[in-house]
Amino acid sequence: MERREVALPRVISRALGTGGALDAWFLMLGSMDKLVGSSAQLIDNAWFAKIYPAVRELPVIYSGNQVDKEALVAAALQVALLLNGVSARREVEQSGVPIVMLERDDPAQLEEALELVGRVLGERELRIAREFRSYYESNVVRVRERTGALPPQRIRRVYYAATAPLVTEGSRSIVSSWIETAGGINVAGQAGVSGIGKTVQLEDILQWNPEVIIAFLPAVRDQILADPRWRSIDAVKNGRVVVNPRGVYPWCTRSAEEALQTLWAAKTLHPELFDDIDLVQETQIFHAKFYHYDLGRDDAERMLRAAPPVP
């Protein structure tokens, strides 16, 4: 997606992702047998391990922003599939491994990236990537049919709290895309914040006065609710500080579950428009179709609450 030519073997059997969302794409594409290493964070993900227990056996190549160069060489890679901006790029390039770079700032880029990964990994994977694209787009259409005609006064002002209460994503991010599709406006993006992992000031958030706050982690929600300085914000006063769902990866940040995120965000911002959508059932359908896993209703409910699986 940098418009470079990359020479690859015709058949790929040993590949590397980013140790995050892209590794969940391998799971969805049925290619975990081709993934030769990951990150400590993903390998320790309880939902990933429940759905695909063999993830625990993968070598740790990424640990935070560090790359285990010995493990990288030992992996005997044929290709590395990396998201633009990852800190590991230089180390992987220095190892001589061919790199395919991917973008994912909006749904169109995410779909293109997944299809490109499918093309690299094989015909079966390309077919699944195209099935996912169709499913994702159908969910976007379902939502936009109801939110597209909302008058300005019903567009919800939304603040996304990422890894900390004052860290957010602005315009030119997948977060802004699903907020807008769901009938909201990203208040940080509207104020000129652009990109991901951006620090903002509490004074700005107080001025933006979001109606809904979506927290990346339960701990971030708890910090917001425990801090008296946030109590004048409409979202806090009206009990609309929510935690984003997460399963094999957080739904909100460039994962395969972006297709579910669109439905969840729409029902969260406009429950009166989407009372017919059963998010538990949608979550079960998604996991059966794309992760080939029979997710029980209790597990689906736990994912929607961003809770870990029962040990």
Side-chain angles (χ1 to χ4, degrees):
M1 293 176 75
E2 289 182 333
R3 306 301 179 238
R4 297 178 294 112
E5 283 192 353
V6 183
L8 300 175
R10 289 187 180 276
V11 178
I12 297 293
S13 59
R14 301 185 65 79
L16 181 69
T18 58
L22 214 155
D23 292 26
W25 298 4
F26 275 78
L27 179 62
M28 185 187 72
L29 297 175
S31 293
M32 288 300 292
D33 60 323
K34 300 179 181 181
L35 186 67
V36 297
S38 189
S39 68
Q41 179 185 19
L42 184 133
I43 290 169
D44 289 339
N45 181 305
W47 280 116
F48 206 120
K50 179 166 186 170
I51 291 172
Y52 187 82
V55 72
R56 302 283 198 199
E57 301 168 13
L58 286 175
V60 174
I61 292 180
Y62 303 122
S63 183
N65 293 324
Q66 303 299 313
V67 178
D68 186 329
K69 295 180 181 179
E70 289 187 7
L72 181 64
V73 172
L77 294 168
Q78 295 168 296
V79 63
L81 297 147
L82 302 181
L83 294 168
N84 189 29
V86 299
S87 58
R89 177 174 182 169
R90 186 177 68 174
E91 286 84 353
V92 177
E93 280 182 326
Q94 290 174 345
S95 74
V97 176
I99 293 177
V100 174
M101 294 302 300
L102 308 165
E103 298 282 359
R104 73 296 191 209
D105 289 341
D106 56 46
Q109 284 188 346
L110 178 65
E111 291 173 354
E112 182 184 351
L114 264 164
E115 192 158 323
L116 182 55
V117 172
R119 285 175 54 202
V120 168
L121 295 179
E123 291 183 5
R124 178 194 59 180
E125 289 89 346
L126 179 57
R127 174 182 55 79
I128 296 171
R130 288 174 172 167
E131 289 176 358
F132 171 83
R133 186 173 199 158
S134 177
Y135 170 79
Y136 186 7
E137 290 177 352
S138 70
N139 281 351
V140 170
V141 169
R142 288 171 71 186
V143 170
R144 284 182 174 162
E145 284 177 344
R146 306 186 196 187
T147 62
L150 286 171
Q153 64 270 24
R154 292 187 64 191
I155 301 296
R156 301 296 179 218
R157 302 185 311 278
V158 182
Y159 175 71
Y160 172 76
T163 53
L166 299 181
V167 177
T168 192
E169 298 199 9
S171 61
R172 298 186 66 252
S173 72
I174 199 83
V175 167
S176 272
S177 293
W178 55 253
I179 289 174
E180 291 164 10
T181 296
I185 186 71
N186 181 348
V187 293
Q190 186 182 45
V193 178
S194 178
I196 66 177
K198 301 300 182 179
T199 300
V200 295
Q201 302 301 312
L202 179 58
E203 291 75 14
D204 291 328
I205 302 172
L206 292 170
Q207 183 178 356
W208 299 336
N209 192 25
E211 298 169 275
V212 180
I213 295 175
I214 296 175
F216 178 66
L217 294 166
V220 173
R221 173 204 56 198
D222 295 345
Q223 290 175 54
I224 290 171
L225 295 180
D227 189 334
R229 296 175 299 170
W230 291 72
R231 290 176 187 167
S232 64
I233 294 174
D234 282 352
V236 178
K237 288 192 296 186
N238 297 322
R240 302 200 70 182
V241 181
V242 297
V243 181
N244 210 100
R246 57 176 48 221
V248 300
Y249 203 74
W251 290 13
C252 50
T253 52
R254 297 158 285 279
S255 69
E257 286 88 345
E258 284 295 332
L260 289 173
Q261 175 72 13
T262 301
L263 299 178
W264 175 84
K267 187 155 185 170
T268 298
L269 300 188
H270 297 282
E272 74 286 355
L273 295 180
F274 297 95
D275 60 349
D276 60 317
I277 290 182
D278 183 338
L279 289 172
V280 170
Q281 185 179 65
E282 294 286 349
T283 303
Q284 291 176 298
I285 290 170
F286 176 88
H287 282 76
K289 182 174 179 63
F290 291 109
Y291 288 148
H292 310 288
Y293 184 81
D294 184 12
L295 189 71
R297 189 169 183 88
D298 180 66
D299 277 344
E301 289 172 346
R302 294 183 70 83
M303 282 186 181
L304 286 161
R305 298 197 307 271
V310 175

